[in-house]
């Protein structure tokens, strides 16, 4: 048991001390990928937000490495994240939707199999998550995945299920939904979304997240403005 704790401590130290994401991932590649999964998922609840995000962003490449050797073993990791989002697990789902999306982002076969499930977490007729931190994670995950799987997300009508979240009282849910919708543009129904995006232009709150280029604070109004520009309504 002490070896497990020592290894987790070692991984968390790497997450905390790496100077940037590329060098973090390079360092983690020195470890067996299957051993990394539990320490990385455990770090989703780390007290430092930067460490939490680094753990999420490290899980995708790690699971992709596992999938190249044993696809079923990678599926087991995805199912573990899904269990964390299940009410029966008794968990808080911190980081689970983001981690799941990052795994799908890094492996096409996993995306093919599980993107519909990720979207289902926003569907009233599916597995809808009502807890705002979980909704933030799914919205971010859809935006992240849109960089590589936009057509698949549109096929599963992710934009329709994000639309109501633009009116969420949780500013992070609304802002991340705006960001995700912008990354899926253009799509036929976007004219019905533009008024809701415009309503966010006065929001001053900031959300700390990874936008595909950097990990930093993003004002909600800036995310709405960017989405509007991408939809041709800015």
């Amino acid at each position: 048991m002490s070896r497990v704790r020592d290894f987790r401590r070692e991984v968390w130290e790497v997450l905390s001390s790496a100077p940037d994401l590329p060098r973090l991932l390079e360092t983690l590649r020195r470890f067996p990928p299957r051993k990394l999964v539990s320490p990385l998922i455990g770090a989703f609840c780390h007290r430092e937000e930067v460490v939490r995000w680094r753990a999420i962003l490290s899980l995708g490449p790690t699971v992709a490495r596992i999938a190249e050797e044993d696809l079923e073993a990678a599926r087991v990791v995805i199912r573990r994240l899904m269990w964390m989002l299940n009410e029966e697990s008794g968990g808080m789902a911190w980081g689970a939707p983001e981690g799941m999306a990052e795994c799908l982002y890094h492996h096409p076969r996993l995306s093919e199999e599980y993107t519909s499930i990720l979207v289902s977490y926003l569907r009233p007729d599916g597995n809808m998550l009502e807890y705002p931190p979980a909704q933030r994670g799914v919205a971010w995950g859809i935006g992240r995945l849109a960089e590589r799987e936009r057509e698949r997300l549109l096929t599963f009508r992710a934009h329709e299920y994000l639309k109501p979240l633009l009116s969420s009282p949780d500013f992070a849910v609304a802002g991340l939904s705006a960001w995700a919708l912008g990354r899926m543009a253009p799509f036929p129904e976007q004219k019905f979304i533009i008024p809701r995006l415009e309503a966010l232009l006065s929001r001053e709150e900031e959300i700390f997240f990874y936008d595909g280029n950097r990990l930093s604070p993003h004002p909600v109004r800036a995310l709405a403005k960017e989405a509007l520009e991408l939809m041709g309504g800015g």
Side-chain angles (χ1 to χ4, degrees):
M1 196 66 177
S2 61
R3 289 184 179 180
V4 173
R5 285 196 299 268
D6 289 345
F7 183 68
R8 183 182 70 174
R9 192 177 301 114
E10 183 179 0
V11 172
W12 285 21
E13 176 59 29
V14 172
L15 293 172
S16 301
S17 62
D20 52 44
L21 184 60
R23 277 178 280 190
L24 166 63
L25 297 178
E26 180 182 350
T27 300
L28 290 178
R29 284 190 67 85
R30 301 172 189 169
F31 298 103
R34 297 190 195 205
K35 285 188 65 177
L36 282 171
V37 170
S38 288
L40 290 176
I41 291 178
F44 289 1
C45 296
H46 197 279
R47 64 180 180 276
E48 294 181 24
E49 196 165 14
V50 170
V51 174
R52 293 200 298 268
W53 272 106
R54 286 181 165 193
I56 289 165
L57 296 170
S58 299
L59 185 66
T62 298
V63 172
R65 288 170 60 197
I66 294 171
E68 292 307 313
E69 299 174 359
D70 184 345
L71 185 58
E72 183 56 31
R75 292 185 181 116
V76 169
V77 180
I78 300 296
R79 291 197 287 268
R80 176 175 175 179
L81 296 169
M82 290 167 58
W83 171 250
M84 291 170 65
L85 292 166
N86 188 321
E87 289 183 2
E88 296 177 11
S89 74
M92 296 292 286
W94 295 109
E98 296 96 325
M100 179 177 175
E102 194 66 11
C103 294
L104 308 190
Y105 177 91
H106 282 279
H107 200 274
R109 180 63 183 274
L110 294 175
S111 176
E112 179 183 335
E113 294 182 9
Y114 292 102
T115 294
S116 63
I117 295 175
L118 180 67
V119 174
S120 79
Y121 292 127
L122 297 182
R123 292 183 56 166
D125 61 342
N127 305 307
M128 186 172 183
L129 300 172
E130 298 185 2
Y131 185 48
Q135 291 179 339
R136 295 173 205 164
V138 179
W140 179 84
I142 289 173
R144 172 70 162 154
L145 198 52
E147 185 178 326
R148 292 186 175 175
E149 299 287 0
R150 174 180 168 274
E151 291 299 327
R152 179 170 285 140
L153 288 164
L154 291 175
T155 297
F156 292 122
R157 312 203 64 78
H159 53 296
E160 287 188 7
Y161 304 118
L162 283 168
K163 177 184 172 183
L165 298 187
L166 293 172
S167 302
S168 171
D170 184 290
F171 72 87
V173 171
L176 287 168
S177 297
W179 175 74
L181 285 162
R183 290 166 73 86
M184 282 193 287
F187 45 86
E189 301 88 348
Q190 67 186 32
K191 65 181 179 180
F192 301 111
I193 287 172
I194 287 174
R196 297 199 187 199
L197 290 170
E198 291 174 338
L200 296 175
L201 293 175
S202 61
R203 300 298 298 259
E204 298 292 335
E205 302 96 335
E206 291 187 334
I207 314 166
F208 185 83
F209 74 97
Y210 181 74
D211 66 1
N213 295 305
R214 69 191 194 284
L215 187 58
S216 63
H218 298 72
V220 172
R221 54 183 166 75
L223 297 173
K225 183 175 185 293
E226 179 186 71
L228 284 166
E229 291 172 349
L230 291 168
M231 293 182 189

